[in-house]
Amino acid sequence: MEASVTNLAYSRLLKSRSKSATKVRNDLGDDAGNRVDQEKLAHAASLILEAIGENVFREGLRDTPARFARMFQELCYGVGVDASTEITCSFDEGSDGLVVVRDIGFNSMCEHHLVPFIGTANIAYLPKNGVVTGLSKLARVVELTSRRPQVQERMTEEIARAIEDAIDPSGVAVLVEAEHFCMSMRGIKKPGSKTITTLFKGTMKTDMEARAEALSLLRDK
Ligand SMILES: [Zn+2]
């Protein structure tokens, strides 16, 4: 019975607004917009507010479900997208020297609690046959990988795999450092604690000297 009351409340809420929620687009393009069910997201937000005893019709909350839906579309546009597609160019620079990009900031979402984890990704790769990619492409890989419900361990692996798939380097090292809000604001409540994850591929996995050099450059000083 409760469910029907809830659904009734939600349909009244929908009628009370203009029918905008399902057609929201942002600069992510049509594909991203189509993958996300805006109406379902707004419904879910409305149910959560009801479940905690809120009045979903009061002034401050009236547009919250639609806002929540738009926010989730933005935060989760990377669901099901292969991050290696962000590496759209590669150049033959004839150099096999180590390439390192540090402190690529990201915001992601813990898939266990749906609260943020925020941090930096640090990437090193050793080109094979002089093939490199644009530095901003590495940042794009991090950005796309972070835009989905995640665990940090998998995110670290996905970043490394995307680089490996796109330019087939001799080795890749990725170090991700993040604060998880599910540890800061709930549960054990330890704000400021950092989780560090690493992933090594190719020579970075087998050659301890190459790994140590990469790690010394990736680590926060
Ligand atoms: Zn969590």
Side-chain angles (χ1 to χ4, degrees):
M1 291 312 106
E2 244 177 71
S4 60
V5 171
T6 296
N7 286 333
L8 180 64
Y10 178 66
S11 51
R12 279 169 58 206
L13 182 67
L14 270 187
K15 276 180 196 142
S16 75
R17 293 195 314 250
S18 64
K19 39 187 166 177
S20 60
T22 56
K23 291 289 175 199
V24 177
R25 290 265 154 80
N26 57 20
D27 63 356
L28 303 171
D30 288 357
D31 282 353
N34 289 338
R35 275 197 304 276
V36 173
D37 187 331
Q38 293 274 333
E39 193 166 336
K40 201 174 262 187
L41 277 168
H43 190 183
S46 178
L47 290 177
I48 288 170
L49 289 169
E50 269 193 351
I52 61 173
E54 268 291 359
N55 170 12
V56 293
F57 300 105
R58 74 176 169 82
E59 181 69 26
L61 293 179
R62 223 177 36 211
D63 296 326
T64 298
R67 275 194 217 99
F68 173 88
R70 286 195 296 274
M71 181 186 74
F72 255 70
Q73 171 166 313
E74 187 180 341
L75 296 184
C76 297
Y77 76 86
V79 171
V81 184
D82 178 357
S84 68
T85 58
E86 290 288 22
I87 301 183
T88 49
C89 65
S90 59
F91 317 97
D92 185 350
E93 287 299 323
S95 160
D96 285 346
L98 193 61
V99 180
V100 179
V101 181
R102 274 188 43 172
D103 299 328
I104 305 169
F106 69 84
N107 304 293
S108 191
M109 187 192 294
C110 154
E111 71 182 21
H112 299 145
H113 300 94
L114 300 185
V115 294
F117 66 96
I118 293 178
T120 57
N122 306 275
I123 298 170
Y125 74 92
L126 208 49
K128 187 190 285 176
N129 303 322
V131 176
V132 298
T133 185
L135 300 177
S136 68
K137 304 300 180 196
L138 301 178
R140 283 177 174 277
V141 165
V142 172
E143 179 67 14
L144 179 68
T145 309
S146 70
R147 293 305 186 182
R148 58 185 76 154
Q150 273 287 14
V151 295
Q152 186 177 326
E153 295 87 337
R154 191 167 71 242
M155 182 180 165
T156 311
E157 206 281 334
E158 284 176 347
I159 293 168
R161 189 187 44 75
I163 297 164
E164 188 176 54
D165 287 354
I167 55 171
D168 189 28
S170 297
V172 186
V174 179
L175 184 150
V176 175
E177 183 172 347
E179 177 173 1
H180 289 247
F181 280 39
C182 55
M183 279 179 70
S184 306
M185 60 191 267
R186 57 157 294 285
I188 194 156
K189 296 196 189 74
K190 294 293 176 202
S193 67
K194 294 279 175 68
T195 301
I196 295 176
T197 47
T198 56
L199 205 290
F200 305 98
K201 283 181 176 288
T203 51
M204 300 289 187
K205 195 169 183 176
T206 53
D207 181 340
M208 291 304 127
E209 210 172 307
R211 179 192 294 202
E213 184 194 358
L215 268 180
S216 73
L217 293 166
L218 292 179
R219 275 204 184 109
D220 203 8
K221 295 292 184 298

